Amino acid sequence: MQWNWTAEKAAQWSVPAIEAPYLALRWQESRFRDMLDNGCGPGRHALFFARQGFTVTGLDLSAEALGYLTAQAEAADLAVNAVEGNLFHMPFLDGSFDCIMDYNASYHTDTSGYHQAVRELHRVLRPGGEVYLTLLSQNDPSFRAAPPEAHTDRYTLLHEGGTPHFYGCAEDFDTLFPGFSMAMPPREIRTCGPGSAKESVHYHLLLKKESL
């Protein structure tokens, strides 16, 4: 799925997530350096982590979003490597990164696609590295209220326009993230978008790649 950044102007996409400062401190203390903002969009996290001294790569399908990221980085005198590519087949070598931010990104797919995305996260992360990701929860009201024909399998819901979204459940985390351990207990968070009463429910996970 490629997001329409021309139509999406919400201020939330320029402000780092509330977890970003904690992750920056945690990863600095772990001496992590090379950071990937996966599905970076216009780069709210890429720019934030570059300001914290990380060597940052932003990956996205949208050339428009990456152009915005590059312009913002240059204006702030920040070095960010903006890469146009697919998060299901990342154009990076194995073990390229110490840490990854995957915020509202990889779940825009069906079940097989999500498994592939997780395999790619594991592949490009170094042993002992960490990935912070968000995942739609099956407790989300949209998932629970959708008619049967909108579900293509136990985990996948077709949104407006037929776009698949993967919804996880906590009981499957052990099999969903092979080769990873939980670096902290999962959190399930309910939020409403700016100016909207529509509720969404996401898991927030910090995963550590198991060492060889």
Side-chain angles (χ1 to χ4, degrees):
M1 174 184 176
Q2 184 168 338
W3 197 268
N4 184 354
W5 292 112
T6 301
E8 180 54 73
K9 301 298 183 182
Q12 72 182 96
W13 302 117
S14 63
V15 178
I18 193 171
E19 300 88 356
Y22 164 75
L23 291 170
L25 180 60
R26 177 188 177 91
W27 290 343
Q28 287 167 345
E29 291 179 344
S30 297
R31 299 189 183 277
F32 291 168
R33 181 190 64 208
D34 298 316
M35 183 267 182
L36 171 65
D37 186 2
N38 196 34
C40 64
R44 58 176 175 153
H45 295 123
L47 294 168
F48 173 81
F49 281 94
R51 291 188 180 98
Q52 310 311 309
F54 289 84
T55 301
V56 177
T57 296
L59 176 69
D60 204 274
L61 277 175
S62 170
E64 178 193 10
L66 293 172
Y68 178 86
L69 166 58
T70 299
Q72 291 293 106
E74 290 176 352
D77 196 26
L78 296 170
V80 175
N81 180 28
V83 178
E84 186 174 350
N86 190 321
L87 57 81
F88 305 109
H89 300 282
M90 296 188 201
F92 307 122
L93 297 175
D94 296 0
S96 292
F97 302 102
D98 298 307
C99 48
I100 301 174
M101 191 79 156
D102 188 292
Y103 208 94
N104 295 352
S106 289
Y107 61 71
H108 293 92
T109 184
D110 58 17
T111 299
S112 62
Y114 193 76
H115 285 293
Q116 174 62 21
V118 171
R119 285 192 291 269
E120 281 294 273
L121 290 171
H122 189 272
R123 181 183 67 79
V124 303
L125 193 63
R126 292 175 183 138
E130 294 183 347
V131 52
Y132 188 88
L133 64 82
T134 60
L135 170 62
L136 282 166
S137 167
Q138 292 188 2
N139 291 318
D140 188 283
S142 296
F143 186 84
R144 289 181 169 272
E149 60 270 20
H151 295 265
T152 62
D153 58 36
R154 178 185 169 192
Y155 302 99
T156 305
L157 176 65
L158 298 179
H159 283 210
E160 185 177 351
T163 304
H165 285 61
F166 180 88
Y167 289 75
C169 56
E171 65 190 44
D172 293 333
F173 285 168
D174 286 345
T175 56
L176 189 57
F177 302 110
F180 287 103
S181 59
M182 294 287 174
M184 63 173 51
R187 297 178 299 148
E188 190 178 39
I189 298 177
R190 297 175 180 269
T191 58
C192 293
S196 172
K198 183 178 179 182
E199 182 183 63
S200 63
V201 184
H202 291 76
Y203 288 109
H204 289 239
L205 308 174
L206 183 60
L207 306 176
K208 178 180 287 289
K209 182 175 178 177
E210 296 172 354
S211 298
L212 299 176

